[in-house]
Amino acid sequence: MVCTIQNGMHKMTLIAVYGLHTILDRKCLWRGLLGYMQNHDPMIIIGDYNAICNSNDGANGTLVTDDETEDFEDFLLQSSLIEAMSAGLLYSWSNSSVGSERVVSIIDKAFVNHAWVRMYAGVVVQYLAPGISDQSPLLFTLQDDSQQGGRPLKFMNIMYDHVDFLDTMEKAWSSVKSRYRLQSVWLKLKVIKIELKMMEIHKFGKPHDKVEYLRQKLCDLQNQVDFNKNGEAQSNAKVLSDELRHWSYIEENILQQKARINWLKQGDAN
């Protein structure tokens, strides 16, 4: 299914995919999707491909052969699509069996084109709980970055210390495949920029506001009349104190970096 979504000046193409069950039957899917690659609108292709990209996309069951992944891999190479960042459950399908008989795989994915990467700061595809189905619903959300006039990325040194930093960068770098090396490097850097912006927003966004909020909440809690006799309030205060120290450290680190940048620009006039 193909539909065009337009909101004011913004226009995007959404392609919902359902792949047939055999390698031969899916060949027309890959040909049909390649036919839409001339569309220069931001495009997201999302759905059930009934196929996996590589052997790491499944667990248990029969061994995955090259014949099963070849057409999917060729399609991604020819289209230069980029897999969208995902969150939530790891696998999107299971055979609903229990224990050692359970087979799982990722046959549901979302990909975006170059125009999408240029227009939007990112897209996150959430793999939700399947409920009574054998497949997870996919929910995607996006952030429009176009209104900010291409705001440049400001890398914060403290981001490197985050526990997920290296893993996130490695996944972003390896998510892009292109037959042209220079194009591949450019696309990889674009995806890394998106991931860094998402990390900045979700992991380090507005530290000053968070420090003020936590400080006030902790103060209100400690000012309770029965605070010294209320074990639950004391436990909550300890949690708030740990959070306050965490965000205070982030805020201080960012301010130190800004101060160094100002000194490099202005020298002794800073």
Side-chain angles (χ1 to χ4, degrees), residues 237-250:
K238 189 177 186 310
V239 173
L240 287 172
S241 296
D242 292 339
E243 290 186 35
L244 180 57
R245 291 190 186 95
H246 169 73
W247 283 104
S248 294
Y249 172 75
I250 291 175

Side-chain angles (χ1 to χ4, degrees), residues 114-134:
H114 301 169
W116 185 288
V117 174
R118 290 192 295 269
M119 179 65 72
Y120 298 106
V123 58
V124 179
V125 178
Q126 186 80 20
Y127 284 71
L128 305 176
I132 62 175
S133 175
D134 59 357

Side-chain angles (χ1 to χ4, degrees), residues 6-270:
Q6 186 156 4
N7 180 16
M9 297 293 292
H10 301 297
K11 181 180 179 182
M12 69 181 72
T13 299
L14 168 67
I15 301 180
V17 173
Y18 178 74
L20 298 177
H21 289 79
T22 67
I23 296 174
L24 182 61
D25 289 336
R26 284 193 296 269
K27 288 185 180 293
C28 62
L29 169 66
W30 310 126
R31 289 194 300 268
L33 289 175
L34 284 174
Y36 287 101
M37 293 302 104
Q38 302 304 318
N39 186 340
H40 298 297
D41 293 331
M43 178 187 302
I44 182 167
I45 304 174
I46 185 170
D48 176 6
Y49 295 84
N50 257 317
I52 61 177
C53 298
N54 56 69
S55 57
N56 295 328
D57 284 346
N60 299 333
T62 57
L63 292 176
V64 178
T65 65
D66 291 340
D67 290 339
E68 294 178 83
T69 62
E70 183 179 20
D71 290 342
F72 205 163
E73 290 175 345
D74 286 345
F75 162 69
L76 293 176
L77 285 173
Q78 293 180 56
S79 64
S80 296
L81 291 173
I82 301 167
E83 185 171 356
M85 184 174 67
S86 61
L89 300 179
L90 176 59
Y91 297 105
S92 66
W93 173 88
S94 77
N95 64 352
S96 300
S97 295
V98 179
S100 60
E101 300 297 321
R102 189 174 184 85
V103 179
V104 293
S105 64
I106 311 173
I107 58 176
D108 306 88
K109 287 179 179 287
F111 298 92
V112 295
N113 63 355
H114 301 169
W116 185 288
V117 174
R118 290 192 295 269
M119 179 65 72
Y120 298 106
V123 58
V124 179
V125 178
Q126 186 80 20
Y127 284 71
L128 305 176
I132 62 175
S133 175
D134 59 357
Q135 284 183 278
S136 299
L138 269 58
L139 174 68
F140 77 89
T141 57
L142 61 89
Q143 178 182 351
D144 185 355
D145 193 42
S146 59
Q147 296 180 352
Q148 299 183 21
R151 181 174 61 90
L153 171 68
K154 295 181 180 179
F155 182 81
M156 297 181 292
N157 294 336
I158 195 172
M159 295 170 68
Y160 181 79
D161 295 330
H162 193 274
V163 64
D164 295 330
F165 178 81
L166 292 178
D167 186 52
T168 300
M169 295 302 99
E170 182 179 356
K171 287 181 179 178
W173 185 265
S174 60
S175 68
V176 177
K177 295 179 181 179
S178 174
R179 65 177 65 185
Y180 305 108
R181 291 187 178 181
L182 187 58
Q183 180 190 54
S184 177
V185 172
W186 181 80
L187 291 173
K188 288 175 185 288
L189 291 175
K190 292 284 284 186
V191 175
I192 284 179
K193 179 180 178 180
I194 292 172
E195 296 293 340
L196 288 173
K197 280 191 174 182
M198 296 297 290
M199 179 175 286
E200 176 188 356
I201 293 169
H202 296 297
K203 304 294 185 181
F204 302 95
K206 299 181 178 179
H208 178 74
D209 292 347
K210 289 185 172 66
V211 166
E212 292 300 314
Y213 169 76
L214 290 169
R215 183 177 287 122
Q216 184 60 52
K217 196 170 181 179
L218 178 61
C219 182
D220 292 342
L221 193 62
Q222 292 172 336
N223 283 331
Q224 291 182 4
V225 176
D226 63 341
F227 177 76
N228 291 320
K229 298 179 181 179
N230 190 330
E232 182 180 357
Q234 294 165 20
S235 298
N236 292 337
K238 189 177 186 310
V239 173
L240 287 172
S241 296
D242 292 339
E243 290 186 35
L244 180 57
R245 291 190 186 95
H246 169 73
W247 283 104
S248 294
Y249 172 75
I250 291 175
E251 182 187 28
E252 181 181 1
N253 191 285
I254 293 172
L255 290 173
Q256 287 175 347
Q257 183 174 346
K258 287 181 177 179
R260 286 195 295 270
I261 293 172
N262 286 337
W263 189 90
L264 288 172
K265 288 181 178 179
Q266 303 177 25
D268 291 337
N270 176 23

